[in-house]
Amino acid sequence: MEVEIIPELSRKTFVSVNSLVYNFGERQSFISTLNDLSLGKKVLFACIGTDRATGDCLGPLVGTNLKRLGYTVLGTLAEPLHAQNLISEINNVLAIQRPDIVIAIDACLGKTEDIGMITLADFPLTPGSAVHKNLPSVGDISILGVVNVGGFFEFQVLQGTRLHTVMKLAADITHLIWRAIPCSMSMG
């Protein structure tokens, strides 16, 4: 489920972190902003993607990491949240657990210079838009990781994405969340 970021005047990016270049200030800003957005709220993580394409496994990798840490998660490597089950899974959990906030996490394609960027935004994400799927928006806020270059042959690009890039992004996103949101705020 790759996501293409479409800028709109009403949408705002809070903060971005370059996963491939360590910048303490960027990371602290990301952590602080995510903490402020989730403070005192029951959080559900919707980690979107599949383990069938290297470039699209970012969400499930983060979901697996977060679940191991005790967070409430939809979407892991064992049970991915993808195009075929997205609507039903989200609706089931929202009806039963009633989280205060849903944080959607997914991979996205971008420009060459953006590979490795992690973005926290104040709007839901639209999974599958880069591969021309028509799926509903997910989340109250979103965390996106740029895994590769977009704009052409998206399916082949996803298959040819370096696992190292995806693993680095997944580890960093997990760590940023762990620093920002106490596990006790998760619904589990």
Side-chain angles (χ1 to χ4, degrees):
M1 278 336 109
E2 296 308 304
V3 175
E4 231 170 84
I5 301 174
I6 302 170
E8 294 179 10
L9 294 177
S10 63
R11 294 180 174 182
K12 174 183 139 191
T13 298
F14 284 119
V15 65
S16 292
V17 171
N18 186 335
S19 183
L20 305 178
V21 178
Y22 189 85
N23 181 307
F24 181 78
E26 280 182 352
R27 290 172 188 269
Q28 286 305 114
S29 179
F30 190 103
I31 291 164
S32 175
T33 303
L34 185 54
N35 180 270
D36 290 346
L37 289 169
S38 61
L39 193 62
K41 297 178 180 171
K42 292 187 307 185
V43 178
L44 170 68
F45 294 95
C47 301
I48 303 165
T50 179
D51 61 346
R52 295 180 183 261
T54 306
D56 201 22
C57 68
L58 178 65
L61 279 168
V62 173
T64 298
N65 292 343
L66 292 175
K67 190 167 187 166
R68 286 181 183 148
L69 293 171
Y71 291 92
T72 303
V73 173
L74 271 181
T76 63
L77 288 171
E79 297 176 4
L81 184 62
H82 49 67
Q84 287 79 30
N85 67 1
L86 179 71
I87 297 169
S88 63
E89 291 293 324
I90 294 280
N91 287 340
N92 287 343
V93 169
L94 292 178
I96 295 168
Q97 296 192 8
R98 304 214 184 265
D100 296 325
I101 189 169
V102 176
I103 299 175
I105 301 168
D106 200 358
C108 68
L109 301 174
K111 297 181 230 169
T112 303
E113 61 270 19
D114 293 334
I115 294 173
M117 293 302 291
I118 301 167
T119 302
L120 172 63
D122 70 346
F123 53 87
L125 58 81
T126 306
S129 63
V131 290
H132 313 293
K133 292 193 180 201
N134 186 17
L135 296 167
S137 295
V138 177
D140 299 300
I141 61 174
S142 54
I143 298 175
L144 301 167
V146 181
V147 297
N148 210 333
V149 179
F152 57 94
F153 304 114
E154 281 82 2
F155 288 109
Q156 289 84 359
V157 169
L158 292 174
Q159 294 296 337
T161 297
R162 291 193 64 215
L163 181 59
H164 171 76
T165 301
V166 177
M167 295 295 289
K168 175 74 171 119
L169 283 164
D172 282 351
I173 291 170
T174 302
H175 186 256
L176 290 165
I177 289 168
W178 176 77
R179 294 274 318 274
I181 303 171
C183 189
S184 61
M185 294 311 301
S186 186
M187 296 173 25

